[in-house]
Amino acid sequence: MNSRTPDLLLVGGGLANSLIAWRLTQRRPDVRVTILEAGERLGGNHTWSFHEDDLSAQQRAWMAPFLVHRWPGQHIRFPNCRRDFSEPYLSITSDRLHDVMVAAGRFELKSGVRAVELAADAVTTDSGERLAAGAVLDGRGPGPSDGLVLGFQKFVGREVRLAEPHGLTVPTIMDATVDQHDGYRFVYLLPFTDDTVLIEDTRYSDGGALDPAELHAAIDRYATARGWTVIDTLRGEDGVLPILMACDLERFWPADDPVARSGLRAGLFQPTTGYSLPQAVALADAIADHWPMNGVQLARFTREFTREFWQRTRFYRLLNRMLFRVGRPEHRYRVLETFYSLSEPLITNFYATKLTLRQKLRILVGKPLPILDALPMVRERRFLEREAQKGSDQRSTTPR
């Protein structure tokens, strides 16, 4: 290593790695950090949201420069349940993330550079260049899913300008009064100004195939049904997020893997909602608290961080197994409708992964699912084995 070698080389300039770079250089200005990003800008094209209680007051303070909006509450709509919640809701965008990060000037950004081979202390790029570092961290988004059983949250969103004010004062985090197909479907609304709103059509589906044209058409129909006239589309985004039903850490992330991971690459997201910002913030804090580390130490640290998070959130995987494997896909909305009729403190703790034992029992008692069908979902290891066998049987019967 020399004076130009970074102490930390972050591969991928998404949310998780950007926040690690921000927090680490904020807490330790002497640390040299480089981000390699295959695209031209940090963050891609995304909106990340969170509930205020998902973060501590200290975390909200250091995240404040990235915020684009804070609303005083949120709303949900189901056929038989419409409620307002008092917990504030906040959002950041990839544009704000990039602008704030670059303006701070606390790290080196190498954009348009794609990594093809990673080691604990070096990265080889697609041009053949080898970049050395004190530690390497892989945050390139979802990777191989060996050892995971997944459902999928698919979405297409458009931020639009309307001819007249939309009348929304807080986000609608779920409008499930829409037609149900392709699993559980809802529309998500973020009102940024009086006449601009982000409209996202979202599906909780068994398969990950995304049909953007179909979802864009669904957005158009939804806007028309609300009496809104779209005069301009300001930006669009889409994605397929994993919903975790079961996991085997040894298969997903072998203990001898020498490369650290972050974000979706590390399996760090709320298992049921797919929200990843709170976990990205927590990992950034943890790395800053325990720095310095070399590459191998950082790999062990981030793997243990994931192990502890997965252990703490195993109840959510049970809920996901019930949601995706019990009952008919088009009736999934009934499970969510029942859930959103529960107390606001329970729902707040659910999002923040802070459920008490009593609250967990209350959720299970209230689920409108056949008990006998739900029992096989309880033991995660057995479920993993059955899913693996099912996959093996399907492969053996596929014509070649």
Side-chain angles (χ1 to χ4, degrees), residues 152 154 178-186 202-207 323-324 328-333:
F152 301 93
K154 309 180 297 190
V178 294
D179 293 338
Q180 295 296 306
H181 53 87
D182 195 15
Y184 167 53
R185 176 183 174 227
F186 65 92
T202 303
R203 320 286 171 86
Y204 272 55
S205 304
D206 296 312
L323 184 65
F324 279 87
R328 296 166 60 181
E330 63 270 25
H331 291 165
R332 286 175 187 158
Y333 79 93

Short mmCIF file of all heavy atoms in Angstrom, two decimals, residues 152 154 178-186 202-207 323-324 328-333:
data_model
loop_
_atom_site.label_atom_id
_atom_site.label_comp_id
_atom_site.label_asym_id
_atom_site.label_seq_id
_atom_site.Cartn_x
_atom_site.Cartn_y
_atom_site.Cartn_z
N PHE A 152 -41.24 -12.17 -4.32
CA PHE A 152 -40.75 -10.97 -4.98
C PHE A 152 -41.74 -9.82 -4.84
O PHE A 152 -42.95 -10.00 -4.93
CB PHE A 152 -40.50 -11.24 -6.47
CG PHE A 152 -39.51 -12.34 -6.69
CD1 PHE A 152 -39.94 -13.65 -6.86
CD2 PHE A 152 -38.15 -12.07 -6.70
CE1 PHE A 152 -39.02 -14.67 -7.04
CE2 PHE A 152 -37.23 -13.09 -6.87
CZ PHE A 152 -37.66 -14.40 -7.04
N LYS A 154 -42.42 -6.57 -6.83
CA LYS A 154 -42.13 -5.93 -8.12
C LYS A 154 -42.86 -4.60 -8.20
O LYS A 154 -44.02 -4.51 -7.77
CB LYS A 154 -42.57 -6.84 -9.28
CG LYS A 154 -42.04 -8.26 -9.17
CD LYS A 154 -42.49 -9.13 -10.32
CE LYS A 154 -44.00 -9.32 -10.37
NZ LYS A 154 -44.40 -10.35 -11.35
N VAL A 178 -57.49 -1.66 -5.38
CA VAL A 178 -57.36 -1.94 -6.81
C VAL A 178 -57.61 -3.41 -7.09
O VAL A 178 -57.62 -4.24 -6.17
CB VAL A 178 -55.96 -1.53 -7.31
CG1 VAL A 178 -55.78 -0.02 -7.21
CG2 VAL A 178 -54.87 -2.24 -6.51
N ASP A 179 -57.78 -3.76 -8.37
CA ASP A 179 -57.96 -5.15 -8.76
C ASP A 179 -56.75 -5.97 -8.32
O ASP A 179 -55.60 -5.52 -8.43
CB ASP A 179 -58.13 -5.28 -10.28
CG ASP A 179 -59.42 -4.64 -10.77
OD1 ASP A 179 -60.34 -4.49 -9.96
OD2 ASP A 179 -59.47 -4.29 -11.97
N GLN A 180 -57.00 -7.19 -7.84
CA GLN A 180 -55.93 -8.05 -7.36
C GLN A 180 -55.57 -9.09 -8.42
O GLN A 180 -56.42 -9.87 -8.85
CB GLN A 180 -56.36 -8.75 -6.07
CG GLN A 180 -56.58 -7.82 -4.90
CD GLN A 180 -55.31 -7.10 -4.48
OE1 GLN A 180 -54.29 -7.74 -4.20
NE2 GLN A 180 -55.38 -5.78 -4.42
N HIS A 181 -54.29 -9.06 -8.83
CA HIS A 181 -53.78 -10.11 -9.72
C HIS A 181 -52.27 -10.10 -9.64
O HIS A 181 -51.66 -9.16 -9.13
CB HIS A 181 -54.26 -9.93 -11.16
CG HIS A 181 -53.99 -8.58 -11.75
ND1 HIS A 181 -52.81 -8.25 -12.37
CD2 HIS A 181 -54.76 -7.46 -11.79
CE1 HIS A 181 -52.86 -7.00 -12.79
NE2 HIS A 181 -54.03 -6.49 -12.44
N ASP A 182 -51.66 -11.19 -10.11
CA ASP A 182 -50.21 -11.37 -10.00
C ASP A 182 -49.78 -11.32 -8.53
O ASP A 182 -48.78 -10.71 -8.18
CB ASP A 182 -49.46 -10.33 -10.82
CG ASP A 182 -47.98 -10.70 -11.04
OD1 ASP A 182 -47.63 -11.87 -10.80
OD2 ASP A 182 -47.20 -9.81 -11.44
N GLY A 183 -50.57 -11.98 -7.66
CA GLY A 183 -50.30 -11.96 -6.23
C GLY A 183 -51.04 -10.82 -5.55
O GLY A 183 -52.16 -10.47 -5.94
N TYR A 184 -50.41 -10.22 -4.53
CA TYR A 184 -51.01 -9.09 -3.82
C TYR A 184 -50.59 -7.81 -4.52
O TYR A 184 -49.40 -7.52 -4.68
CB TYR A 184 -50.55 -9.10 -2.36
CG TYR A 184 -50.83 -7.83 -1.61
CD1 TYR A 184 -52.12 -7.30 -1.57
CD2 TYR A 184 -49.83 -7.14 -0.93
CE1 TYR A 184 -52.39 -6.12 -0.88
CE2 TYR A 184 -50.08 -5.98 -0.23
CZ TYR A 184 -51.37 -5.47 -0.23
OH TYR A 184 -51.63 -4.30 0.45
N ARG A 185 -51.57 -7.01 -4.92
CA ARG A 185 -51.30 -5.76 -5.65
C ARG A 185 -51.77 -4.57 -4.84
O ARG A 185 -52.85 -4.60 -4.24
CB ARG A 185 -52.00 -5.78 -7.01
CG ARG A 185 -51.84 -4.47 -7.79
CD ARG A 185 -52.61 -4.48 -9.08
NE ARG A 185 -52.54 -3.15 -9.70
CZ ARG A 185 -53.57 -2.48 -10.18
NH1 ARG A 185 -54.78 -3.01 -10.16
NH2 ARG A 185 -53.40 -1.27 -10.71
N PHE A 186 -50.96 -3.51 -4.83
CA PHE A 186 -51.38 -2.25 -4.24
C PHE A 186 -50.69 -1.10 -4.95
O PHE A 186 -49.70 -1.30 -5.68
CB PHE A 186 -51.08 -2.20 -2.73
CG PHE A 186 -49.61 -2.24 -2.37
CD1 PHE A 186 -48.89 -1.07 -2.21
CD2 PHE A 186 -48.96 -3.46 -2.18
CE1 PHE A 186 -47.54 -1.11 -1.87
CE2 PHE A 186 -47.62 -3.50 -1.84
CZ PHE A 186 -46.90 -2.33 -1.68
N THR A 202 -47.41 -1.87 -7.36
CA THR A 202 -46.56 -2.87 -6.70
C THR A 202 -47.28 -4.21 -6.63
O THR A 202 -48.48 -4.26 -6.37
CB THR A 202 -46.18 -2.41 -5.28
OG1 THR A 202 -45.54 -1.13 -5.36
CG2 THR A 202 -45.23 -3.39 -4.62
N ARG A 203 -46.53 -5.30 -6.81
CA ARG A 203 -47.08 -6.66 -6.73
C ARG A 203 -46.20 -7.50 -5.82
O ARG A 203 -44.97 -7.48 -5.93
CB ARG A 203 -47.13 -7.32 -8.11
CG ARG A 203 -47.56 -6.41 -9.27
CD ARG A 203 -49.03 -6.11 -9.24
NE ARG A 203 -49.43 -5.08 -10.21
CZ ARG A 203 -49.74 -5.32 -11.49
NH1 ARG A 203 -49.68 -6.55 -11.96
NH2 ARG A 203 -50.12 -4.34 -12.27
N TYR A 204 -46.81 -8.23 -4.89
CA TYR A 204 -46.13 -9.28 -4.13
C TYR A 204 -46.40 -10.59 -4.87
O TYR A 204 -47.48 -11.17 -4.74
CB TYR A 204 -46.66 -9.35 -2.70
CG TYR A 204 -45.96 -8.44 -1.72
CD1 TYR A 204 -45.86 -7.07 -1.94
CD2 TYR A 204 -45.39 -8.95 -0.56
CE1 TYR A 204 -45.23 -6.23 -1.05
CE2 TYR A 204 -44.75 -8.11 0.35
CZ TYR A 204 -44.68 -6.76 0.09
OH TYR A 204 -44.03 -5.94 1.00
N SER A 205 -45.42 -11.05 -5.65
CA SER A 205 -45.63 -12.14 -6.60
C SER A 205 -44.72 -13.32 -6.32
O SER A 205 -43.66 -13.18 -5.70
CB SER A 205 -45.39 -11.65 -8.03
OG SER A 205 -46.21 -10.54 -8.33
N ASP A 206 -45.12 -14.48 -6.83
CA ASP A 206 -44.30 -15.68 -6.69
C ASP A 206 -43.11 -15.65 -7.63
O ASP A 206 -42.07 -16.23 -7.34
CB ASP A 206 -45.15 -16.93 -6.95
CG ASP A 206 -46.25 -17.08 -5.93
OD1 ASP A 206 -45.98 -16.97 -4.73
OD2 ASP A 206 -47.41 -17.31 -6.33
N GLY A 207 -43.25 -15.01 -8.78
CA GLY A 207 -42.17 -14.93 -9.75
C GLY A 207 -41.62 -13.53 -9.87
O GLY A 207 -42.30 -12.54 -9.55
N LEU A 323 -47.70 -16.09 3.98
CA LEU A 323 -48.28 -15.22 2.97
C LEU A 323 -48.15 -15.80 1.57
O LEU A 323 -49.09 -15.74 0.77
CB LEU A 323 -47.61 -13.84 3.03
CG LEU A 323 -48.16 -12.76 2.10
CD1 LEU A 323 -49.60 -12.41 2.47
CD2 LEU A 323 -47.28 -11.52 2.14
N PHE A 324 -46.98 -16.39 1.27
CA PHE A 324 -46.72 -16.86 -0.09
C PHE A 324 -47.07 -18.32 -0.32
O PHE A 324 -47.21 -18.72 -1.47
CB PHE A 324 -45.24 -16.63 -0.43
CG PHE A 324 -44.93 -15.23 -0.85
CD1 PHE A 324 -44.62 -14.26 0.09
CD2 PHE A 324 -44.95 -14.87 -2.19
CE1 PHE A 324 -44.33 -12.96 -0.29
CE2 PHE A 324 -44.66 -13.58 -2.58
CZ PHE A 324 -44.36 -12.62 -1.63
N ARG A 328 -54.66 -18.67 -1.50
CA ARG A 328 -54.55 -18.31 -2.91
C ARG A 328 -53.89 -16.95 -3.06
O ARG A 328 -54.16 -16.02 -2.28
CB ARG A 328 -55.94 -18.31 -3.54
CG ARG A 328 -56.60 -19.68 -3.54
CD ARG A 328 -58.08 -19.60 -3.83
NE ARG A 328 -58.34 -19.00 -5.14
CZ ARG A 328 -59.57 -18.80 -5.63
NH1 ARG A 328 -60.62 -19.12 -4.90
NH2 ARG A 328 -59.72 -18.26 -6.82
N PRO A 329 -53.03 -16.77 -4.08
CA PRO A 329 -52.32 -15.49 -4.24
C PRO A 329 -53.24 -14.28 -4.32
O PRO A 329 -52.93 -13.22 -3.77
CB PRO A 329 -51.55 -15.70 -5.55
CG PRO A 329 -51.34 -17.17 -5.64
CD PRO A 329 -52.57 -17.79 -5.05
N GLU A 330 -54.39 -14.43 -5.01
CA GLU A 330 -55.28 -13.29 -5.16
C GLU A 330 -55.99 -12.91 -3.86
O GLU A 330 -56.66 -11.87 -3.79
CB GLU A 330 -56.31 -13.55 -6.26
CG GLU A 330 -57.24 -14.72 -5.98
CD GLU A 330 -56.70 -16.05 -6.50
OE1 GLU A 330 -55.46 -16.18 -6.65
OE2 GLU A 330 -57.52 -16.95 -6.77
N HIS A 331 -55.86 -13.77 -2.83
CA HIS A 331 -56.47 -13.47 -1.53
C HIS A 331 -55.46 -12.97 -0.51
O HIS A 331 -55.80 -12.80 0.66
CB HIS A 331 -57.17 -14.71 -0.99
CG HIS A 331 -58.39 -15.09 -1.79
ND1 HIS A 331 -59.00 -16.33 -1.68
CD2 HIS A 331 -59.12 -14.39 -2.71
CE1 HIS A 331 -60.04 -16.38 -2.49
NE2 HIS A 331 -60.12 -15.22 -3.13
N ARG A 332 -54.23 -12.70 -0.94
CA ARG A 332 -53.21 -12.22 -0.01
C ARG A 332 -53.59 -10.88 0.60
O ARG A 332 -53.20 -10.57 1.73
CB ARG A 332 -51.86 -12.09 -0.73
CG ARG A 332 -51.19 -13.43 -1.02
CD ARG A 332 -49.93 -13.30 -1.84
NE ARG A 332 -49.45 -14.62 -2.22
CZ ARG A 332 -48.63 -14.88 -3.24
NH1 ARG A 332 -48.19 -13.86 -3.99
NH2 ARG A 332 -48.25 -16.11 -3.51
N TYR A 333 -54.35 -10.09 -0.14
CA TYR A 333 -54.72 -8.78 0.39
C TYR A 333 -55.51 -8.91 1.69
O TYR A 333 -55.48 -8.01 2.53
CB TYR A 333 -55.52 -7.98 -0.65
CG TYR A 333 -56.97 -8.37 -0.76
CD1 TYR A 333 -57.95 -7.71 -0.02
CD2 TYR A 333 -57.37 -9.42 -1.59
CE1 TYR A 333 -59.29 -8.07 -0.11
CE2 TYR A 333 -58.70 -9.79 -1.68
CZ TYR A 333 -59.65 -9.11 -0.95
OH TYR A 333 -60.96 -9.48 -1.02
#
